C-alpha cells in the first residue's frame, strides 16, 4: 500500500466513513509487520477498543508518513482528551521511531533484578506545623482536619485546602523518588510536583503577598490576584507572578535551574539580575551564579512533558536521560567506567513496565545490567 492510499484510508477510517472493505484493507496493512518491525514493538495487554485502535492507527500513520530523518514520537498537544496509559506505550513503540541514539553502541548486557522496577505513581507525605509527617496514602477521600487545618482529599487523589481564615501555619508537601502529586493551595493555585520534589507553603495566605518555596520540579497554575503577587523561591532565586502557568526545574543534580513560561508573565530574579519572561520563553541559572540566560523560543510542551505523562528528550546525553528515569522508576544508576557517548531525541511514556523499559535500553544499544536492589549499572 503506498502512502497516498494509506493516508486516504486512514483519514476515512478516523472520520468514520470507511467501508467494511476499506477498514479490512487498513487493518491488514496495520497488522502486516515484518520480522524487523516486530523487534520494535511492545506487547500491550488489555482488550482492544475502538478508541485505542484509532489512536494506534494514527501513530502508525505518523510513522509511515514522516521522513525517516525527522521521525520522533507524537506530541501530546492537540490530542483529544486524555491519552490512555496503553496508548502512551504505543507512542514509544509505534513504527520504531520512539527514541533513537545518535551514536551506535555495542551490544547490550542485560540482567534481572530481584525487585521489580515499576513506574512512579501518585504518592507524597505532608509535614505539618509541629513537624509530624502524614503519609497521604493513609488518608481517605473527603474532608479532613489536620492540626486545625481543613483540607479535602479528592477521589483523584489530590489535596485541596479549604478556607482556614487567617490561621496560617506552614505545611510541606514532599514526593519521593517514584512519586508525583497535585495540591490546590488555599488561594486556588494548582500545583503539580514531579518525583523527588517539595513545596513549602502557608495554610492560609494573609497579607499583601503569597510566598512558597520549592525543590525539585514543580508546575504551577497560579490563581490570579492582582492585589497579592505570588512568589516562588528556589534558594536565592525568586519567580514573581500575578496569575500564570509556568514550570520550575530545580533539581540539585541538574546543571541549571530552569523556569519555563507557558501563559501569562513572570519576573525571574537573582540577587544581581532579573528577567521578564513571556510565553514560550525560559530562564536558566547555573548553581552559584546570579546571571540569567534568557532563551526566547523553547519547546514548552517538552518542559512539562512529565506532567502530561511522558518523557521528552531533545539531544539529551545519557546521564540526563538516566537521571530522569532514576527519579521516576526509583532506581540507582551507576557507571562502570566512562560514561557512554550518545544523545537521545524522542518521547516515551512514563508508564512503561520493567520489561518495556529494559527493551528500550537494549534497542538504544546501551550496555547495562539491572542488579538486585534496582541498581542499574551502565557500561561503556
Amino acid at each position: 500500500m503506498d502512502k497516498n492510499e494509506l493516508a486516504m484510508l486512514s483519514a476515512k477510517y478516523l472520520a468514520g466513513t470507511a467501508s467494511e472493505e476499506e477498514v479490512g484493507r487498513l487493518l491488514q496493512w496495520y497488522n502486516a509487520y515484518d520480522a524487523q518491525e516486530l523487534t520494535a514493538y511492545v506487547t500491550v495487554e488489555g482488550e482492544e477498543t475502538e478508541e485505542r485502535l484509532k489512536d494506534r492507527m494514527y501513530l502508525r500513520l505518523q510513522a509511515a508518513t514522516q521522513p525517516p530523518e525527522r521521525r520522533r514520537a507524537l506530541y501530546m498537544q492537540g490530542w483529544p482528551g486524555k491519552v490512555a496509559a496503553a496508548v502512551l506505550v504505543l507512542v514509544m513503540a509505534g513504527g520504531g521511531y520512539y527514541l533513537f541514539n545518535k551514536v551506535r553502541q555495542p551490544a547490550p548486557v542485560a540482567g534481572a533484578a530481584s525487585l521489580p522496577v515499576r513506574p512512579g505513581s501518585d504518592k507524597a507525605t505532608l509535614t505539618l506545623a509541629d513537624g509530624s509527617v502524614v503519609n497521604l496514602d493513609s488518608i481517605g477521600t473527603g474532608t479532613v482536619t489536620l492540626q486545625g487545618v481543613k483540607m479535602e482529599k479528592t477521589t483523584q487523589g489530590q489535596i485541596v485546602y479549604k478556607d482556614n481564615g487567617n490561621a496560617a501555619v506552614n505545611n510541606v508537601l514532599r514526593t519521593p523518588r517514584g512519586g508525583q502529586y497535585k495540591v490546590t493551595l488555599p488561594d486556588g493555585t494548582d500545583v503539580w510536583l514531579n518525583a523527588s520534589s517539595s513545596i513549602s507553603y502557608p495554610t492560609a495566605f494573609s497579607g499583601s503577598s503569597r510566598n512558597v518555596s520549592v525543590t525539585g520540579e514543580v508546575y504551577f497554575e497560579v490563581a490570579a490576584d492582582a492585589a497579592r503577587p505570588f512568589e516562588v523561591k528556589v534558594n536565592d532565586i525568586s519567580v514573581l507572578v500575578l496569575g500564570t502557568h509556568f514550570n520550575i526545574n530545580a533539581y540539585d543534580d541538574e546543571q541549571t535551574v530552569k523556569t519555563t513560561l507557558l501563559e501569562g508573565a513572570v519576573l525571574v530574579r537573582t540577587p544581581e539580575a532579573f528577567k521578564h519572561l513571556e510565553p514560550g520563553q525560559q530562564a536558566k541559572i547555573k548553581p552559584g551564579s546570579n546571571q540569567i540566560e534568557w532563551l526566547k523560543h523553547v519547546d514548552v510542551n517538552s518542559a512539562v512533558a512529565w506532567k502530561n505523562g511522558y518523557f521528552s528528550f531533545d539531544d539529551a546525553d545519557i546521564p540526563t536521560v538516566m537521571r530522569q528515569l532514576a527519579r521516576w522508576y526509583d532506581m540507582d544508576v551507576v557507571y562502570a567506567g566512562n560514561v557512554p557517548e550518545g544523545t537521545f531525541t524522542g518521547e516515551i511514556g512514563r508508564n512503561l513496565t520493567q520489561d518495556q523499559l529494559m527493551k528500550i535500553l537494549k534497542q538504544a544499544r546501551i550496555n547495562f545490567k539491572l542488579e538486585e536492589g534496582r541498581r542499574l549499572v551502565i557500561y561503556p
Side-chain angles (χ1 to χ4, degrees):
M1 183 183 302
D2 63 34
K3 291 183 179 179
N4 291 334
E5 183 181 13
L6 173 60
M8 182 270 293
L9 289 179
S10 297
K12 291 180 70 174
Y13 176 84
L14 294 173
T17 60
S19 66
E20 290 186 8
E21 179 183 358
E22 289 171 330
V23 171
R25 288 166 58 198
L26 193 58
L27 287 172
Q28 184 178 17
W29 167 82
Y30 176 75
N31 289 301
Y33 307 147
D34 60 30
Q36 187 175 11
E37 281 184 304
L38 280 174
T39 64
Y41 277 78
V42 176
T43 300
V44 178
E45 298 179 356
E47 183 179 354
E48 184 70 273
T49 65
E50 178 82 356
E51 289 303 313
R52 184 187 296 177
L53 181 58
K54 288 181 180 180
D55 287 327
R56 293 172 68 194
M57 285 285 191
Y58 189 63
L59 291 170
R60 187 106 160 94
L61 178 62
Q62 282 268 330
T65 57
Q66 289 180 355
E69 69 276 10
R70 295 291 297 170
R71 287 183 185 174
R72 55 180 294 154
L74 185 67
Y75 258 8
M76 304 295 285
Q77 183 182 29
W79 277 48
K82 292 186 176 180
V83 183
V87 176
L88 288 179
V89 175
L90 288 166
V91 171
M92 171 275 299
Y97 62 96
Y98 50 91
L99 185 69
F100 57 89
N101 189 343
K102 291 185 178 179
V103 176
R104 183 174 296 276
Q105 302 289 344
V109 178
S114 59
L115 294 175
V117 171
R118 295 189 178 93
S121 59
D122 293 340
K123 53 189 173 185
T125 60
L126 184 64
T127 302
L128 305 178
D130 67 351
S132 59
V133 179
V134 178
N135 187 334
L136 293 179
D137 288 344
S138 66
I139 298 177
T141 58
T143 302
V144 62
T145 301
L146 298 175
Q147 294 184 4
V149 177
K150 294 181 181 179
M151 61 190 74
E152 178 187 2
K153 184 177 180 182
T154 69
T155 55
Q156 289 76 36
Q158 76 183 72
I159 291 295
V160 180
Y161 279 80
K162 300 297 185 179
D163 183 4
N164 288 286
N166 293 321
V169 294
N170 199 65
N171 280 183
V172 181
L173 186 71
R174 291 186 176 89
T175 55
R177 291 206 308 176
Q180 63 181 10
Y181 216 80
K182 180 184 178 184
V183 59
T184 300
L185 300 181
D187 65 335
T189 293
D190 288 326
V191 182
W192 287 258
L193 280 73
N194 201 350
S196 295
S197 302
S198 72
I199 179 170
S200 175
Y201 51 92
T203 57
F205 289 112
S206 58
S208 60
S209 63
R210 296 171 288 169
N211 300 305
V212 303
S213 60
V214 302
T215 65
E217 185 163 26
V218 185
Y219 173 76
F220 289 87
E221 292 187 355
V222 177
D225 187 344
R228 295 189 301 172
F230 191 98
E231 185 172 16
V232 182
K233 295 283 290 184
V234 182
N235 298 322
D236 58 354
I237 301 169
S238 72
V239 180
L240 188 66
V241 306
L242 292 177
T244 188
H245 300 179
F246 63 100
N247 189 79
I248 295 180
N249 185 314
Y251 286 112
D252 290 339
D253 57 356
E254 296 294 342
Q255 296 180 351
T256 59
V257 174
K258 293 182 288 187
T259 301
T260 308
L261 182 63
L262 284 75
E263 296 182 16
V266 302
L267 174 66
V268 179
R269 297 187 300 194
T270 70
E272 298 179 4
F274 67 89
K275 187 68 65 177
H276 289 277
L277 297 186
E278 296 179 357
Q281 296 180 349
Q282 183 181 85
K284 298 173 67 174
I285 304 169
K286 293 182 179 180
S289 170
N290 289 317
Q291 301 306 307
I292 302 174
E293 181 183 357
W294 183 28
L295 304 181
K296 295 184 179 180
H297 302 286
V298 297
D299 183 356
V300 296
N301 296 288
S302 178
V304 297
W306 66 271
K307 171 184 168 289
N308 296 324
Y310 66 108
F311 297 100
S312 180
F313 304 116
D314 185 7
D315 284 332
D317 59 19
I318 289 178
T320 297
V321 173
M322 290 303 162
R323 284 195 298 272
Q324 293 193 38
L325 294 178
R327 293 185 199 116
W328 185 238
Y329 284 90
D330 191 12
M331 299 185 298
D332 292 320
V333 177
V334 297
Y335 297 90
N338 296 330
V339 177
E341 296 181 356
T343 59
F344 294 80
T345 294
E347 293 151 0
I348 60 174
R350 299 220 312 174
N351 62 340
L352 304 183
T353 65
Q354 175 177 315
D355 288 345
Q356 291 166 341
L357 181 62
M358 296 303 108
K359 182 174 290 188
I360 289 294
L361 297 180
K362 290 179 185 178
Q363 292 174 342
R365 298 185 180 277
I366 293 178
N367 288 327
F368 72 92
K369 183 177 182 181
L370 184 59
E371 299 180 340
E372 292 185 3
R374 302 209 292 243
R375 185 171 184 263
L376 186 68
V377 182
I378 306 296
Y379 297 91

